[in-house]
Amino acid sequence: MQKIKSLMTRQGLKSPPESLSDLGAIESLRVPGKEEFRELREQPSDPQAEQELINSIEQVYFSTDSFDIVKYELEVSKKVADLILEKQPAYVKELERVTSLQTGLQLAAVICTNGRRHLNIAKEGFTQASLGLLANQRKRQLLIGLLKSLRTIKTLQRTDVRLSEMLEEEDYPGAIQLCLECQKAASTFKHYSCISELNSKLQDTLEQIEEQLDVALSKICKNFDINHYTKVQQAYRLLGKTQTAMDQLHMHFTQAIHNTVFQVVLGYVELCSGNTDTKFQKLQYKDLCTHVTPDSYIPCLADLCKALWEVMLSYYRTMEWHEKHDSEDTTSASEGSNMGTEETNFDRGYIKKKLEHGLTRIWQDVQLKVKTYLLGTDLSIFKYDDFIFVLDIISRLMQVGEEFCGSKSEVLQESIRKQSVNYFKNYHRTRLDELRMFLENETWELCPVKSNFSILQLHEFKFMEQSRSPSVSPSKQPASTSSKTVTLFEQYCSDGNPFEIQANHKDEETEDVLASNGYESDEQEKSAYQEYDSDSDVPEELKRDYVDEQTGDAPVKSVSRETLKSRKKSDYSLNKVNAPILTNTTLNVIRLVGKYMQMMNILKPIAFDVIHFMSQLFDYYLYAIYTFFGRNDSLESTGLGLSSSRLRTTLNRIQESLIDMEVSADPTATLTAAEERKEKVPSPHLSHLVVLTSGDTLYGLAERVVATESLVFLAEQFEFLQPHLDAVMPAVKKPFLQQFYSQTVSTASELRKPIYWIVAGKAIDYEQMLLLMANVKWDVKEIMSQHNIYVDALLKEFEQFNRRLNEVSKRVRIPLPVSNILWEHCIRLANRTIVEGYANVKKCSNEGRALMQLDFQQFLMKLEKLTDIRPIPDKEFVETYIKAYYLTENDMERWIKEHREYSTKQLTNLVNVCLGSHINKKARQKLLAAIDDIDRPKR
């Protein structure tokens, strides 16, 4: 500081000596001494540093030898001195400012010293006492808070007891709410060491609650309870795990289906095995199903469907709950705050999609379980009523599936179709064998039924009336339900089970419908009918059994023989005009058709198979009637076309496809041939009790009428059923049905001609008439006024035929078409016999031809009094032949070519008889050649 002050006292320029003294510093830049050089030499040299030092020396010092270093340095020093003098005012000014700053600092030091003294006084007089009070107050508040915390901790320690109580009460939302509050409180006091253990315990408790909640959720799958499910959903919502709950719920439903079916089947298997061994519990469900016995199969199936219904109903009610609560949540959200709405909508959408997707998944699981059960047992050994009941249960189950998720139940349909086709083939084969047995034991007696008999009155066809006329018509339904069909889920939502009703229905109907296969009772009925003759009384019970089917009593076995004989004749008449003509066997076939249609109605996928088998029933019945009463090879030789080409084609088809013509199995036959034979039935044989050779009975006309007209009646019933069959027949198979009706059913009435032709051929003694005609002399010279005796003989035959026909009609009603065909056949045969008799004439005059006309006119006149048939069949056949005698040669040739209905013999005889009268030998040869030309294609 003194140096600074001394500098401040100087004024003006310094004296040169002073200035030169300032150059003392320059002198310090002297050359180093020897010692210093020695030290420098001892130091390690750095070439780079030395080079930098050399480079830093100004270039001027390296100039020529004439350079004056002293002078150069003096000039430099002078410049420095000038610069100092130039900056001196600024220097003085700055020095004054520093001095002022020093004064201010000294004043601040005094102020600080005074402040510290005053602060010490305040501290001693006020601060220590006041802050002590505040500190004590703060400590008091902390202790109060600590006390509250300790009380809360104490409460938290005791919450596990309350949580256990709430879980026992199934108050899951309350338990979770309490647990979450405790966890929140515990997080507040986590700085206490005791809380860490409590927090871990609460977390364990919460996990335990979730486990119990999951168990509670699983209970929903078998028995849905609204209150229970509401609590569970509220609990999951508090946990924020509604989506997880839905995922778990579907897992529980899947598990419930598996556990349910396994336990049901296991229970029946263990019950029927009578074995307490646990080996069945270790089996897979598929293997377990194979151990179900036939006796327990239907009860087990019913219980299986009942249990599965409960699962599906629970799922249905679960969806209902969510739909209801979603709408309520939407309403409340629109009225309240929008906070969290987006997340809630997302959860709601997820749950809705999950539930909708779960419908198909659950139904698929149900189908697979039932399919496994169905295929685990061979149903082909079941009785018809039992199998129909199985189909009915599965049909109801498929209805449930359609209502549940709109499924067509392809899995169930395919599995039941396989079982049905397998069962139906065996069942149908047995029925065909039984049908053959009944046909071979059938005596073709009339089965008495009411005149208003309809197949719809039979119990087997009741299902058709139910389908055509619903139990509650729309007009009778309440207005609120007239436009909506009540589903099974709506009907049994709160109580009952659709499969329980099925079981009850089966029990109620077993005695009336399903007690037998349709033949056992009919055999008894048949024997009962044979115990009284055609003129005896018919019991009302018998009519009810065949027609009304309402009593549910045992068929005929409850009707005693005394009852049969005690009825008045007025109760029933076998000759009623409108009473259908049918036999016990016909009724059996109709009943079978009804049963086949029941199966087809329940399971439409096998419609084609069923209809095909139905057609075989009709085919076999038609073939049997033809074989028993219509087969006669001589018929075709008449050339009358009694059997149409369509009928012949049908009979050939039936014989080739259905009739087993082999007497015994060929051991060398191939497997395919053996399989084909299994599908065929041996040709039936007429019962030896049926006599067709007695003239008194018109060669079994009553039996022939009953048989033929029963076939016609059966065909009429098939015609009636055609719309129903067509409705269920697959489109690609409808041509088969159309062909069956057009080629087979419609030919039933065509069997009348060949069958009744046999009667007509034997009822009149045509051979005797030919013998009588052979004794007549036809080459008379006079015109006769009296007809020949063969006409009277022929008319007597017709009168006898008429009497016998009336006798038969007392036993069996003869329909007008049958009567007309019989008379037509007899008249046609008589007329053709007359022509044949005329063709046997060797010689004939014009008068003889006139006598022929007289005889024929007498026959026609008398015949028209016996029958109402007009015109008389083949009348022109006789008259044309007689008149041809008068034709000229050219007309005769043309006539021969135009009338090919006459035999070669008849035409030849006509030409020969005309020889000598108005035809010469040359013309005769020409006409015979024309006849030969006509006959050649026939040969």
Side-chain angles (χ1 to χ4, degrees):
M1 182 63 68
Q2 293 299 324
K3 292 179 179 181
I4 295 174
K5 289 180 178 180
S6 64
L7 287 174
M8 291 175 61
T9 59
R10 293 176 183 176
Q11 296 289 332
L13 294 172
K14 295 180 180 180
S15 61
E18 292 178 355
S19 299
L20 291 175
S21 66
D22 292 336
L23 296 175
I26 298 175
E27 293 180 358
S28 64
L29 297 174
R30 61 185 178 86
V31 179
K34 290 181 180 181
E35 293 298 329
E36 291 173 344
F37 273 118
R38 189 181 295 116
E39 292 177 0
L40 288 173
R41 282 196 303 266
E42 290 176 358
Q43 292 179 356
S45 61
D46 184 359
Q48 184 177 359
E50 292 176 355
Q51 184 63 39
E52 290 178 356
L53 181 61
I54 293 171
N55 291 337
S56 65
I57 299 175
E58 294 182 16
Q59 289 295 327
V60 69
Y61 292 101
F62 297 98
S63 60
T64 61
D65 295 338
S66 61
F67 174 71
D68 190 353
I69 297 175
V70 175
K71 183 180 180 180
Y72 178 77
E73 288 295 334
L74 289 174
E75 289 176 358
V76 171
S77 299
K78 185 176 183 298
K79 290 180 181 179
V80 172
D82 292 341
L83 184 61
I84 291 173
L85 291 175
E86 182 183 349
K87 297 295 182 180
Q88 187 178 15
Y91 167 75
V92 173
K93 185 178 180 180
E94 185 64 24
L95 188 61
E96 290 176 354
R97 193 177 68 81
V98 169
T99 304
S100 175
L101 179 61
Q102 183 181 12
T103 305
L105 290 174
Q106 291 174 349
L107 179 61
V110 173
I111 293 172
C112 287
T113 302
N114 293 334
R116 287 178 180 178
R117 188 177 64 253
H118 289 106
L119 284 174
N120 287 330
I121 296 172
K123 178 180 178 182
E124 292 173 358
F126 172 75
T127 304
Q128 287 182 346
S130 299
L131 291 180
L133 290 174
L134 291 174
N136 290 335
Q137 178 64 21
R138 179 173 177 272
K139 186 181 293 185
R140 180 175 178 274
Q141 294 295 331
L142 289 173
L143 290 174
I144 291 174
L146 177 60
L147 181 61
K148 289 182 179 179
S149 299
L150 290 174
R151 288 174 178 171
T152 303
I153 292 171
K154 183 179 179 180
T155 304
L156 291 175
Q157 295 286 357
R158 296 178 178 177
T159 51
D160 56 341
V161 178
R162 178 56 186 155
L163 284 173
S164 299
E165 294 175 354
M166 297 177 78
L167 289 177
E168 289 179 2
E169 297 169 359
E170 295 186 346
D171 184 9
Y172 303 109
I176 291 175
Q177 185 70 37
L178 178 59
C179 192
L180 291 176
E181 290 176 355
C182 289
Q183 278 190 327
K184 184 178 180 181
S187 64
T188 306
F189 305 112
K190 62 183 178 180
H191 49 281
Y192 297 109
S193 58
C194 62
I195 288 299
S196 59
E197 182 181 350
L198 176 62
N199 203 12
S200 176
K201 185 177 180 181
L202 286 173
Q203 184 62 34
D204 294 340
T205 303
L206 188 61
E207 292 176 359
Q208 181 184 355
I209 293 174
E210 288 190 30
E211 291 176 0
Q212 293 195 25
L213 194 59
D214 190 57
V215 173
L217 186 65
S218 66
K219 295 179 181 178
I220 297 295
C221 301
K222 292 185 179 180
N223 186 16
F224 183 87
D225 181 82
I226 293 179
N227 296 329
H228 182 75
Y229 189 67
T230 302
K231 290 180 181 179
V232 172
Q233 281 296 321
Q234 288 176 350
Y236 273 111
R237 187 172 298 179
L238 288 172
L239 291 172
K241 295 184 177 181
T242 53
Q243 294 185 19
T244 304
M246 192 51 54
D247 295 338
Q248 287 295 110
L249 181 62
H250 281 80
M251 290 178 57
H252 288 313
F253 269 106
T254 301
Q255 190 65 29
I257 291 173
H258 174 76
N259 293 341
T260 297
V261 297
F262 188 86
Q263 290 302 321
V264 170
V265 176
L266 178 63
Y268 275 92
V269 170
E270 290 182 341
L271 179 65
C272 296
S273 66
N275 192 346
T276 57
D277 191 2
T278 59
K279 65 177 183 178
F280 293 117
Q281 297 179 0
K282 300 176 182 178
L283 294 177
Q284 294 291 327
Y285 173 70
K286 181 179 180 180
D287 299 327
L288 189 66
C289 290
T290 61
H291 288 80
V292 179
T293 62
D295 292 339
S296 62
Y297 185 86
I298 290 179
C300 182
L301 177 61
D303 286 347
L304 199 65
C305 292
K306 289 178 194 174
L308 290 173
W309 161 262
E310 296 296 338
V311 175
M312 288 186 286
L313 178 62
S314 294
Y315 194 88
Y316 175 83
R317 297 185 67 187
T318 300
M319 290 194 67
E320 272 193 334
W321 186 94
H322 280 280
E323 289 174 0
K324 178 181 177 182
H325 283 263
D326 284 351
S327 60
E328 291 177 355
D329 292 345
T330 303
T331 304
S332 60
S334 61
E335 295 175 353
S337 173
N338 291 330
M339 294 180 61
T341 302
E342 184 176 347
E343 183 178 356
T344 302
N345 290 339
F346 178 78
D347 288 345
R348 191 181 300 124
Y350 177 85
I351 291 172
K352 183 178 180 182
K353 289 182 179 179
K354 190 76 175 179
L355 287 170
E356 290 174 352
H357 176 72
L359 285 171
T360 305
R361 177 182 167 186
I362 287 176
W363 176 241
Q364 189 71 8
D365 288 344
V366 170
Q367 284 192 92
L368 292 173
K369 296 299 182 184
V370 177
K371 173 189 174 182
T372 303
Y373 182 83
L374 286 175
L375 299 180
T377 302
D378 183 10
L379 303 184
S380 60
I381 61 174
F382 277 35
K383 294 181 180 179
Y384 173 82
D385 55 320
D386 291 336
F387 187 75
I388 285 293
F389 184 59
V390 171
L391 291 186
D392 203 20
I393 291 178
I394 300 303
S395 176
R396 178 59 64 95
L397 185 61
M398 288 191 288
Q399 181 185 353
V400 170
E402 186 170 1
E403 294 178 1
F404 187 67
C405 62
S407 171
K408 296 301 180 183
S409 307
E410 291 83 359
V411 175
L412 275 180
Q413 288 199 23
E414 179 59 24
S415 59
I416 199 65
R417 189 193 70 80
K418 288 180 180 178
Q419 285 282 30
S420 297
V421 172
N422 181 41
Y423 174 85
F424 207 71
K425 283 183 178 179
N426 294 323
Y427 179 80
H428 177 65
R429 174 66 203 194
T430 305
R431 301 291 82 76
L432 279 179
D433 289 337
E434 290 180 352
L435 177 58
R436 178 173 67 89
M437 179 189 69
F438 274 92
L439 287 169
E440 291 180 344
N441 289 278
E442 179 64 70
T443 57
W444 304 103
E445 296 287 339
L446 188 65
C447 174
V449 294
K450 290 181 178 180
S451 58
N452 63 345
F453 171 76
S454 168
I455 61 173
L456 294 179
Q457 295 168 321
L458 297 174
H459 178 73
E460 287 81 358
F461 292 90
K462 290 296 183 183
F463 74 94
M464 290 178 57
E465 284 191 333
Q466 293 170 1
S467 62
R468 288 169 12 135
S469 55
S471 57
V472 180
S473 61
S475 60
K476 295 180 180 180
Q477 291 178 345
S480 59
T481 61
S482 60
S483 60
K484 182 181 179 181
T485 304
V486 178
T487 65
L488 293 174
F489 286 96
E490 294 171 342
Q491 186 176 355
Y492 300 102
C493 183
S494 57
D495 187 28
N497 192 303
F499 300 99
E500 192 73 50
I501 289 179
Q502 291 292 307
N504 293 338
H505 180 72
K506 176 180 182 294
D507 294 339
E508 293 171 1
E509 299 294 340
T510 296
E511 183 180 0
D512 188 25
V513 178
L514 303 177
S516 66
N517 59 15
Y519 282 123
E520 298 167 4
S521 59
D522 291 336
E523 181 67 13
Q524 296 162 345
E525 293 163 359
K526 177 180 176 182
S527 62
Y529 293 143
Q530 292 173 348
E531 288 177 358
Y532 65 93
D533 56 52
S534 59
D535 290 330
S536 65
D537 305 324
V538 180
E540 194 68 26
E541 292 90 337
L542 198 59
K543 292 186 287 182
R544 282 203 301 270
D545 175 65
Y546 275 104
V547 181
D548 294 336
E549 295 280 14
Q550 296 295 325
T551 62
D553 299 332
V556 179
K557 55 188 175 185
S558 61
V559 184
S560 64
R561 184 178 301 181
E562 289 73 13
T563 305
L564 292 173
K565 293 181 179 179
S566 64
R567 295 290 181 181
K568 294 182 180 180
K569 189 172 183 178
S570 59
D571 289 347
Y572 189 87
S573 173
L574 287 171
N575 203 22
K576 275 190 174 182
V577 176
N578 296 324
I581 297 177
L582 66 156
T583 67
N584 295 325
T585 305
T586 316
L587 201 58
N588 283 329
V589 174
I590 293 174
R591 288 183 185 275
L592 269 181
V593 169
K595 291 180 178 181
Y596 283 23
M597 290 188 66
Q598 282 182 29
M599 186 177 295
M600 180 175 58
N601 188 60
I602 294 173
L603 195 63
K604 292 181 176 58
I606 66 167
F608 170 72
D609 301 276
V610 175
I611 293 176
H612 174 66
F613 292 145
M614 284 173 57
S615 70
Q616 288 187 345
L617 294 176
F618 187 86
D619 287 347
Y620 195 71
Y621 194 88
L622 182 147
Y623 186 82
I625 301 299
Y626 170 76
T627 304
F628 293 166
F629 303 106
R631 175 172 284 174
N632 192 332
D633 296 335
S634 63
L635 292 179
E636 302 304 327
S637 62
T638 61
L640 298 177
L642 296 175
S643 297
S644 65
S645 60
R646 183 174 62 169
L647 177 59
R648 290 194 299 272
T649 301
T650 297
L651 291 171
N652 289 335
R653 176 189 61 78
I654 295 173
Q655 182 169 305
E656 292 174 3
S657 63
L658 188 60
I659 306 302
D660 183 6
M661 303 303 293
E662 299 181 27
V663 178
S664 60
D666 184 2
T668 62
T670 63
L671 182 61
T672 304
E675 289 296 326
E676 290 179 355
R677 286 200 63 200
K678 286 183 179 180
E679 303 295 329
K680 295 184 178 182
V681 190
S683 179
H685 301 284
L686 183 64
S687 172
H688 67 278
L689 298 176
V690 180
V691 180
L692 303 179
T693 57
S694 173
D696 294 336
T697 61
L698 279 180
Y699 304 94
L701 178 61
E703 289 80 2
R704 293 176 190 271
V705 168
V706 171
T708 308
E709 299 312 305
S710 69
L711 174 63
V712 173
F713 177 79
L714 184 61
E716 291 172 353
Q717 307 317 303
F718 268 83
E719 294 283 359
F720 169 73
L721 296 174
Q722 184 177 7
H724 303 276
L725 300 180
D726 188 70
V728 297
M729 191 70 157
V732 294
K733 299 293 185 180
K734 285 190 177 182
F736 166 82
L737 186 64
Q738 296 168 357
Q739 184 178 12
F740 168 66
Y741 273 93
S742 62
Q743 298 295 326
T744 305
V745 177
S746 61
T747 61
S749 59
E750 295 180 12
L751 270 183
R752 284 171 170 166
K753 283 189 176 182
I755 290 175
Y756 297 135
W757 178 270
I758 296 175
V759 175
K762 296 179 179 179
I764 306 295
D765 193 351
Y766 304 103
E767 294 296 328
Q768 179 64 27
M769 187 177 65
L770 285 175
L771 293 175
L772 291 175
M773 292 180 71
N775 295 328
V776 176
K777 186 177 181 180
W778 299 103
D779 56 346
V780 294
K781 303 298 182 181
E782 299 178 359
I783 297 177
M784 307 298 291
S785 60
Q786 180 64 34
H787 61 273
N788 287 301
I789 59 172
Y790 75 87
V791 176
D792 295 329
L794 181 59
L795 288 171
K796 285 182 180 179
E797 289 286 329
F798 272 98
E799 289 173 356
Q800 185 181 25
F801 168 74
N802 192 32
R803 287 194 299 273
R804 289 176 176 175
L805 193 61
N806 289 332
E807 287 297 322
V808 173
S809 67
K810 293 178 181 178
R811 291 181 54 202
V812 176
R813 177 177 66 85
I814 299 180
L816 183 59
V818 176
S819 176
N820 289 341
I821 288 176
L822 282 167
W823 276 101
E824 179 183 343
H825 283 345
C826 289
I827 295 171
R828 192 182 300 277
L829 282 170
N831 286 337
R832 289 179 179 272
T833 303
I834 291 174
V835 170
E836 188 66 21
Y838 292 161
N840 291 332
V841 176
K842 302 298 182 183
K843 295 180 181 180
C844 183
S845 61
N846 290 337
E847 292 78 7
R849 283 296 179 188
L851 180 57
M852 291 179 182
Q853 289 182 328
L854 176 64
D855 290 345
F856 188 61
Q857 292 301 320
Q858 177 68 19
F859 170 68
L860 292 178
M861 181 181 67
K862 296 293 185 179
L863 183 65
E864 288 176 349
K865 294 180 181 179
L866 294 176
T867 180
D868 295 329
I869 292 182
R870 299 294 185 274
I872 298 298
D874 280 355
K875 174 183 176 183
E876 294 79 6
F877 184 79
V878 180
E879 291 177 341
T880 302
Y881 188 80
I882 296 174
K883 293 176 182 178
Y885 177 81
Y886 303 105
L887 297 175
T888 62
E889 174 187 342
N890 294 331
D891 293 338
M892 176 79 70
E893 183 178 3
R894 185 173 62 254
W895 184 90
I896 288 173
K897 293 179 180 179
E898 292 176 352
H899 292 78
R900 301 191 178 191
E901 65 270 22
Y902 298 100
S903 66
T904 302
K905 173 192 172 183
Q906 294 168 349
L907 294 175
T908 302
N909 180 266
L910 179 63
V911 172
N912 289 333
V913 170
C914 293
L915 179 66
S917 60
H918 57 282
I919 294 179
N920 55 34
K921 290 184 178 181
K922 183 178 180 181
R924 173 178 172 272
Q925 293 297 328
K926 182 179 179 182
L927 293 173
L928 291 177
I931 295 172
D932 189 64
D933 291 340
I934 296 173
D935 185 58
R936 189 176 294 113
K938 297 180 182 179
R939 298 198 299 269

Short mmCIF file of all heavy atoms in Angstrom, two decimals, residues 754-772:
data_model
loop_
_atom_site.label_atom_id
_atom_site.label_comp_id
_atom_site.label_asym_id
_atom_site.label_seq_id
_atom_site.Cartn_x
_atom_site.Cartn_y
_atom_site.Cartn_z
N PRO A 754 -104.94 -109.22 -64.62
CA PRO A 754 -104.42 -110.59 -64.66
C PRO A 754 -104.96 -111.48 -63.55
O PRO A 754 -105.15 -112.68 -63.75
CB PRO A 754 -102.90 -110.40 -64.52
CG PRO A 754 -102.71 -109.06 -63.92
CD PRO A 754 -103.84 -108.23 -64.41
N ILE A 755 -105.24 -110.88 -62.36
CA ILE A 755 -105.72 -111.71 -61.25
C ILE A 755 -107.15 -112.17 -61.51
O ILE A 755 -107.48 -113.36 -61.36
CB ILE A 755 -105.62 -110.92 -59.93
CG1 ILE A 755 -104.15 -110.76 -59.53
CG2 ILE A 755 -106.39 -111.62 -58.81
CD1 ILE A 755 -103.92 -109.91 -58.31
N TYR A 756 -108.02 -111.26 -61.92
CA TYR A 756 -109.41 -111.63 -62.13
C TYR A 756 -109.60 -112.37 -63.46
O TYR A 756 -110.61 -113.05 -63.67
CB TYR A 756 -110.30 -110.39 -62.07
CG TYR A 756 -110.28 -109.73 -60.70
CD1 TYR A 756 -110.16 -108.35 -60.57
CD2 TYR A 756 -110.34 -110.49 -59.54
CE1 TYR A 756 -110.13 -107.75 -59.31
CE2 TYR A 756 -110.32 -109.90 -58.29
CZ TYR A 756 -110.20 -108.53 -58.18
OH TYR A 756 -110.16 -107.95 -56.94
N TRP A 757 -108.64 -112.24 -64.34
CA TRP A 757 -108.71 -112.99 -65.61
C TRP A 757 -108.63 -114.50 -65.33
O TRP A 757 -109.29 -115.30 -66.00
CB TRP A 757 -107.57 -112.56 -66.52
CG TRP A 757 -107.52 -113.30 -67.83
CD1 TRP A 757 -106.85 -114.44 -68.10
CD2 TRP A 757 -108.20 -112.94 -69.03
NE1 TRP A 757 -107.03 -114.82 -69.40
CE2 TRP A 757 -107.87 -113.92 -70.01
CE3 TRP A 757 -109.04 -111.88 -69.39
CZ2 TRP A 757 -108.35 -113.87 -71.32
CZ3 TRP A 757 -109.51 -111.84 -70.68
CH2 TRP A 757 -109.17 -112.81 -71.64
N ILE A 758 -107.83 -114.86 -64.31
CA ILE A 758 -107.71 -116.27 -63.96
C ILE A 758 -109.05 -116.81 -63.49
O ILE A 758 -109.46 -117.93 -63.84
CB ILE A 758 -106.65 -116.45 -62.87
CG1 ILE A 758 -105.27 -116.05 -63.42
CG2 ILE A 758 -106.62 -117.87 -62.35
CD1 ILE A 758 -104.16 -116.07 -62.39
N VAL A 759 -109.78 -116.01 -62.69
CA VAL A 759 -111.12 -116.41 -62.24
C VAL A 759 -112.06 -116.52 -63.43
O VAL A 759 -112.80 -117.51 -63.59
CB VAL A 759 -111.67 -115.41 -61.21
CG1 VAL A 759 -113.11 -115.75 -60.84
CG2 VAL A 759 -110.79 -115.39 -59.98
N ALA A 760 -112.02 -115.50 -64.28
CA ALA A 760 -112.91 -115.51 -65.45
C ALA A 760 -112.61 -116.69 -66.37
O ALA A 760 -113.53 -117.27 -66.98
CB ALA A 760 -112.76 -114.20 -66.21
N GLY A 761 -111.34 -117.08 -66.49
CA GLY A 761 -110.98 -118.19 -67.36
C GLY A 761 -111.47 -119.53 -66.86
O GLY A 761 -111.61 -120.48 -67.64
N LYS A 762 -111.71 -119.62 -65.51
CA LYS A 762 -112.17 -120.89 -64.95
C LYS A 762 -113.65 -120.89 -64.59
O LYS A 762 -114.25 -121.96 -64.42
CB LYS A 762 -111.35 -121.20 -63.70
CG LYS A 762 -109.87 -121.41 -63.97
CD LYS A 762 -109.11 -121.69 -62.68
CE LYS A 762 -107.63 -121.91 -62.94
NZ LYS A 762 -106.87 -122.16 -61.69
N ALA A 763 -114.23 -119.71 -64.44
CA ALA A 763 -115.62 -119.63 -63.99
C ALA A 763 -116.60 -120.13 -65.04
O ALA A 763 -117.68 -120.65 -64.71
CB ALA A 763 -115.95 -118.18 -63.61
N ILE A 764 -116.27 -119.99 -66.29
CA ILE A 764 -117.13 -120.43 -67.40
C ILE A 764 -116.46 -121.62 -68.09
O ILE A 764 -115.25 -121.60 -68.34
CB ILE A 764 -117.35 -119.29 -68.41
CG1 ILE A 764 -117.87 -118.03 -67.69
CG2 ILE A 764 -118.30 -119.73 -69.51
CD1 ILE A 764 -119.24 -118.20 -67.08
N ASP A 765 -117.24 -122.65 -68.42
CA ASP A 765 -116.71 -123.84 -69.10
C ASP A 765 -116.65 -123.58 -70.59
O ASP A 765 -117.56 -123.96 -71.35
CB ASP A 765 -117.57 -125.06 -68.78
CG ASP A 765 -116.90 -126.36 -69.20
OD1 ASP A 765 -115.84 -126.28 -69.89
OD2 ASP A 765 -117.40 -127.44 -68.85
N TYR A 766 -115.59 -122.91 -71.01
CA TYR A 766 -115.46 -122.55 -72.42
C TYR A 766 -115.17 -123.78 -73.29
O TYR A 766 -115.59 -123.83 -74.45
CB TYR A 766 -114.33 -121.52 -72.59
CG TYR A 766 -114.52 -120.28 -71.73
CD1 TYR A 766 -113.80 -120.09 -70.56
CD2 TYR A 766 -115.45 -119.30 -72.10
CE1 TYR A 766 -113.97 -118.97 -69.77
CE2 TYR A 766 -115.63 -118.18 -71.30
CZ TYR A 766 -114.90 -118.01 -70.14
OH TYR A 766 -115.09 -116.91 -69.37
N GLU A 767 -114.49 -124.77 -72.76
CA GLU A 767 -114.19 -125.99 -73.53
C GLU A 767 -115.46 -126.74 -73.88
O GLU A 767 -115.61 -127.26 -75.00
CB GLU A 767 -113.24 -126.88 -72.72
CG GLU A 767 -111.87 -126.30 -72.48
CD GLU A 767 -111.11 -126.11 -73.79
OE1 GLU A 767 -111.32 -126.91 -74.73
OE2 GLU A 767 -110.32 -125.15 -73.87
N GLN A 768 -116.38 -126.79 -72.90
CA GLN A 768 -117.66 -127.46 -73.18
C GLN A 768 -118.42 -126.74 -74.29
O GLN A 768 -119.04 -127.38 -75.15
CB GLN A 768 -118.51 -127.48 -71.89
CG GLN A 768 -119.90 -128.13 -72.05
CD GLN A 768 -119.80 -129.63 -72.40
OE1 GLN A 768 -118.82 -130.30 -72.06
NE2 GLN A 768 -120.82 -130.15 -73.08
N MET A 769 -118.32 -125.40 -74.27
CA MET A 769 -119.00 -124.63 -75.32
C MET A 769 -118.38 -124.94 -76.68
O MET A 769 -119.10 -125.06 -77.69
CB MET A 769 -118.91 -123.14 -75.02
CG MET A 769 -119.74 -122.29 -75.97
SD MET A 769 -119.69 -120.54 -75.56
CE MET A 769 -117.99 -120.17 -75.85
N LEU A 770 -117.07 -125.08 -76.78
CA LEU A 770 -116.42 -125.41 -78.05
C LEU A 770 -116.87 -126.78 -78.57
O LEU A 770 -117.08 -126.97 -79.79
CB LEU A 770 -114.90 -125.38 -77.88
CG LEU A 770 -114.25 -124.00 -77.78
CD1 LEU A 770 -112.75 -124.14 -77.49
CD2 LEU A 770 -114.46 -123.21 -79.06
N LEU A 771 -117.03 -127.73 -77.61
CA LEU A 771 -117.49 -129.06 -78.02
C LEU A 771 -118.90 -129.00 -78.57
O LEU A 771 -119.23 -129.66 -79.57
CB LEU A 771 -117.41 -130.03 -76.83
CG LEU A 771 -116.01 -130.36 -76.33
CD1 LEU A 771 -116.07 -131.22 -75.08
CD2 LEU A 771 -115.20 -131.06 -77.42
N LEU A 772 -119.75 -128.20 -77.89
CA LEU A 772 -121.14 -128.07 -78.37
C LEU A 772 -121.19 -127.38 -79.73
O LEU A 772 -121.98 -127.75 -80.60
CB LEU A 772 -121.96 -127.28 -77.34
CG LEU A 772 -122.23 -127.98 -76.00
CD1 LEU A 772 -122.96 -127.04 -75.05
CD2 LEU A 772 -123.06 -129.25 -76.21
#
